[in-house]
């Protein structure tokens, strides 16, 4: 064991860690607890135990449709941001051109720009372009906010790749393209995976962009959840939330199995 | 392996306003090994990378066996290159690293396997094929890189400070080993180094570079014994330099009066316009003797001095002397095993002398 985690001062560290865990996890646990409450209102502590809210939610056509849409949307946004983000990051790190720093800042700007403003701006641009398909608009909007996550993680993992590896591959007869696939990509795989996970999650629970671009026919999960919350605030809302939480955890675990999350997130 | 002749014709590389390489022409004989030597920023690495194709020259041409390769992309040049940090692919095993170049050439797995085994034997790592680079020492990693570069039977071998990251003992043995292998294979090799010992040990020909230009091209002995400039004289080995003016010419040689008051008899004087010269003398050419009231006045190549510092280096000692004219002089003397102690100690009054043939005259620009 690391010596920082033993000795007389260690209990302070443990206490702070536990306090942080409670601070972060308790709202989630609260939601999960309320979702099994056998009452018609959201109350805490929960009364009794029932899974009927889950049964109700899983039979709810709107929720099922929204789940399907959100998953497809998140997958599409992930693939789209990888296709755009990986080459962009590569160009920004390896390319030696005027204004690279400015372009990096610009491409990462959706990370700091208020998404609400971005969404409104997108709505105006897309409607002026005459793009009326809500699904396409959602996909474009989500890629705008998810691509910066891919660019950032890939950028930082590319900075750690020794350029000489690529030079060596090229002197050995690999074209630039083959060098990228055979040498560069394996080095940055964890960064690409982390960027992809971020992109998926950011898209999956995005509200401010979807709010502007969705319509009554195509609404992603966060919108449906919000609508339900405003209409009837019964324990089916926490039940939906719990399903989303479990879904997100499953995604994280899959990534952990595939590339090792700690490795992926430390890039 | 067939040996290639490599020729650079007036190549230059310009970065914005900075000229990294300025109109360099150089011919490298087939099967020979040359070293580009110089301080950092002199353009030696840029030259090497232009030959590799990793940098595009601003102007000029690169020829291999008289074929113009200036615009051939790097992956079609058939080059073996070694990097200072080895540049092994960390996600591939030693075998896969070595097979990489063969795979890129579309050579079938079975045929490649035999050649990889051969390369592993060549670099004495037969039992390491299944390991990953991170599991090898620095020396072993550079051997793998060498195997990877040689297995493709390259037209030439380019070495970019290949042994710079190794510690001294290993570096010296690798220098000898690499040189022996290069000569055995008869492979045209171009090496970049800032280490003069490495250049002297390994290269047939040394190219001293400075500020993007070739300062001097020659064999190790030419560069060491007859440096063309003060820069070369001080960059390769240690030199004592005397600024002075030609006093008179006698046949091929003459007499130079140094500003510090010493008179120097020289055997050969280059023809030059100005009489302003620098005379360089290697420290090992200087003999240091006890003064004992020896008369030095006005005799050339003799100077009275005082010992300022003595450094014992095992088989030689370095004596730092100060002449009466105030100039510092460095002399190296070989130590004799049977005598105990140093011949001179700090504060001794001594006489330093040397042969006229040791004086090398460099015209001042």
């Amino acid at each position: 064991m690391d010596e920082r985690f033993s000795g007389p001062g260690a209990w302070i560290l443990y206490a702070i860690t536990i306090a942080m865990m409670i601070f972060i996890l308790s709202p989630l646990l609260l939601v999960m607890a309320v979702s099994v409450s056998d009452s018609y209102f959201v109350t805490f502590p929960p009364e009794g135990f029932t899974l009927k809210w889950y049964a109700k939610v899983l039979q709810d056509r709107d929720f099922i449709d929204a789940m399907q849409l959100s998953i497809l949307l998140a997958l599409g946004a992930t693939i789209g941001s990888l296709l755009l983000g990986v080459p962009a990051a590569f160009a920004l790190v390896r390319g030696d051109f005027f204004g690279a720093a400015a372009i990096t800042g610009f491409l990462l700007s959706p990370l700091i720009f208020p998404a609400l403003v971005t969404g409104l701006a997108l709505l105006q641009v897309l409607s002026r372009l005459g793009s009326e398909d809500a699904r396409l608009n959602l996909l474009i909007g989500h890629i705008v906010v998810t691509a910066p996550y891919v660019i950032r993680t890939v950028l930082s993992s590319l900075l750690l790749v020794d350029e000489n590896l690529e030079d060596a591959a090229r002197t050995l007869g690999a074209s630039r393209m083959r060098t990228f696939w055979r040498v560069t990509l394996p080095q940055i795989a964890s960064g690409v995976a982390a960027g992809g996970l971020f992109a998926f999650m950011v898209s999956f629970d995005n509200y401010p962009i979807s709010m502007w671009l969705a319509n009554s026919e195509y609404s992603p999960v966060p919108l449906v959840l919000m609508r339900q919350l405003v209409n009837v605030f019964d324990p089916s809302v926490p039940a939906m939330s719990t399903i989303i939480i479990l879904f997100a955890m499953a995604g994280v675990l899959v990534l952990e199995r595939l590339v090792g999350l700690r490795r992926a997130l430390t890039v | 392996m067939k040996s290639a002749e490599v020729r650079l014709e007036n190549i230059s590389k310009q970065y914005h306003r900075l000229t990294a390489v300025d109109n360099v022409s150089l011919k490298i004989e087939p099967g020979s090994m040359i070293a580009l030597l110089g301080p950092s920023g002199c353009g030696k690495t840029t030259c090497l990378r232009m030959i590799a194709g990793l940098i595009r020259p601003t102007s000029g041409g690169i020829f291999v066996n008289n074929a113009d390769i200036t615009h051939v992309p790097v992956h079609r040049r058939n080059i073996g290159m070694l990097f200072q940090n080895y540049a092994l692919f960390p996600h591939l095993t030693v075998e896969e690293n070595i097979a990489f170049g063969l795979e890129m050439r579309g050579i079938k797995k079975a045929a490649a396997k035999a050649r990889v085994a051969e390369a592993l034997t060549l670099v004495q790592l037969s039992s390491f094929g299944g390991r990953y680079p991170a599991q090898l020492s620095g020396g072993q990693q550079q051997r793998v890189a060498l195997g990877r570069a040689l297995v493709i039977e390259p037209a030439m071998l380019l070495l970019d400070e290949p042994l710079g990251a190794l510690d001294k003992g290993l570096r010296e043995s690798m220098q000898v080993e690499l040189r022996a292998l290069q000569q055995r294979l008869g492979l045209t090799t171009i090496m970049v180094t800032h280490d003069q010992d490495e250049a002297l040990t390994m290269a047939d020909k040394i190219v001293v570079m400075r500020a993007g230009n070739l300062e001097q091209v020659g064999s190790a002995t030419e560069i060491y014994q007859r440096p063309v400039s003060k820069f070369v004289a001080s960059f390769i080995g240690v030199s004592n330099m005397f600024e002075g003016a030609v006093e008179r010419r006698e046949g091929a040689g003459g007499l130079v009066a140094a500003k510090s008051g010493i008179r120097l008899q020289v055997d050969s004087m280059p023809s030059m316009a100005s009489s302003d010269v620098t005379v360089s003398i290697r420290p090992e050419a200087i003999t240091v003797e006890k003064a004992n009231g020896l008369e030095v006045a006005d005799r050339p190549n003799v100077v009275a001095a005082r010992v300022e510092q003595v450094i014992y280096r095992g088989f030689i000692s370095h004596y730092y002397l100060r002449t009466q004219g105030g100039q510092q002089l460095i002399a190296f003397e070989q130590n004799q095993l049977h005598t105990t102690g140093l011949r001179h100690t700090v504060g001794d009054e001594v006489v330093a002398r040397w042969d006229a043939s040791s004086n090398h005259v460099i015209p001042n620009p």
Side-chain angles (χ1 to χ4, degrees), chain B residues 303-363:
Chain B
V303 63
R306 173 195 293 268
V307 178
E308 279 195 337
Q309 200 181 352
V310 181
I311 297 171
Y312 179 72
R313 294 280 297 261
F315 74 103
I316 59 167
S317 290
H318 298 185
Y319 296 98
Y320 289 79
L321 314 174
R322 182 73 63 183
T323 68
Q324 280 166 353
Q327 184 167 359
Q328 195 185 54
L329 215 55
I330 304 170
F332 295 167
E333 281 204 346
Q334 199 171 330
N335 295 320
Q336 304 298 322
L337 270 179
H338 55 269
T339 59
T340 50
L342 293 158
R343 289 187 56 222
H344 311 287
T345 53
V346 174
D348 281 4
E349 296 293 339
V350 294
V351 169
R353 67 163 87 234
W354 57 93
D355 284 347
S357 61
S358 306
N359 284 326
H360 174 69
V361 181
I362 300 166

Side-chain angles (χ1 to χ4, degrees), chain A residues 10 65 119 123 140 198 200-201 211 239 242 248 254:
Chain A
D65 286 349
L123 178 65
I140 293 169
F198 279 134
F200 189 91
M201 289 306 170
M211 186 189 82
T242 305
V254 166

Side-chain angles (χ1 to χ4, degrees), chain B residues 253-314:
Chain B
L255 208 63
V256 173
K259 284 174 187 157
S260 56
I262 308 166
R263 296 170 72 234
L264 303 151
Q265 175 90 50
V266 301
D267 275 358
S268 75
M269 188 96 76
S271 54
M272 56 204 160
S274 146
S275 70
D276 246 12
V277 293
T278 303
V279 177
S280 87
I281 304 150
R282 292 296 184 184
E284 65 271 26
I286 298 176
T287 310
V288 184
E289 290 166 344
K290 293 262 180 300
N292 292 337
L294 232 88
E295 189 55 50
V296 300
D298 249 22
R299 283 164 55 202
N301 306 340
V302 179
V303 63
R306 173 195 293 268
V307 178
E308 279 195 337
Q309 200 181 352
V310 181
I311 297 171
Y312 179 72
R313 294 280 297 261

Side-chain angles (χ1 to χ4, degrees), chain A residues 52-161:
Chain A
K52 69 177 176 195
W53 301 113
Y54 286 92
K56 184 187 171 218
V57 164
L58 292 174
Q59 282 160 5
D60 181 348
R61 204 58 246 169
D62 282 353
F63 181 73
I64 303 288
D65 286 349
M67 251 335 238
Q68 265 174 4
L69 177 69
S70 276
I71 290 169
L72 288 177
L73 186 59
L75 281 175
T78 305
I79 293 166
S81 12
L82 287 173
L83 288 178
L84 292 174
V86 174
F90 194 81
L92 289 170
V93 174
R94 289 286 181 262
D96 176 24
F97 53 89
F98 179 74
I103 294 171
T104 306
F106 173 74
L107 288 178
L108 295 178
S109 68
L111 285 179
I112 33 174
F113 241 65
L116 212 56
V117 178
T118 309
L120 177 61
L122 269 166
L123 178 65
Q124 286 178 327
V125 171
L126 290 171
S127 66
R128 187 142 313 169
L129 289 174
S131 173
E132 305 210 324
D133 186 341
R135 286 174 298 180
L136 182 64
N137 290 353
L138 280 167
L139 182 63
I140 293 169
H142 280 211
I143 290 174
V144 168
V145 289
T146 55
Y149 288 91
V150 173
I151 293 174
R152 200 174 62 170
T153 55
V154 175
L155 206 80
S156 48
S157 53
L158 261 178
L159 286 171
L160 298 176
V161 176

Side-chain angles (χ1 to χ4, degrees), chain B residues 14 38 73 105 115 195-196 216 248 272 292 342 357-358:
Chain B
Q14 207 103 26
R105 282 162 177 70
R115 284 173 68 176
D195 179 349
Q196 44 163 312
Q216 187 170 4
R248 66 166 187 272
M272 56 204 160
N292 292 337
L342 293 158
S357 61
S358 306

Side-chain angles (χ1 to χ4, degrees), chain A residues 96 162 164-176 178-179 182-184 186-187, chain B residues 49 54 74-75 79 81 83 85 87-92 100-101 103-105 148-149 152:
Chain A
D96 176 24
D162 177 9
N164 280 339
L165 292 183
E166 290 162 12
D167 289 344
R170 291 170 63 205
T171 62
L172 289 167
S175 63
R176 277 184 189 277
R178 288 183 92 176
T179 300
R182 287 297 314 274
V183 174
T184 313
Q187 311 302 317
Chain B
R49 295 177 78 85
L54 294 166
V74 47
H75 64 280
I79 276 167
M81 187 159 176
F83 299 82
N85 60 358
L88 295 178
F89 308 129
H91 60 295
L92 302 180
F100 189 88
E103 191 190 322
M104 292 304 131
R105 282 162 177 70
R148 183 179 67 175
I152 59 172

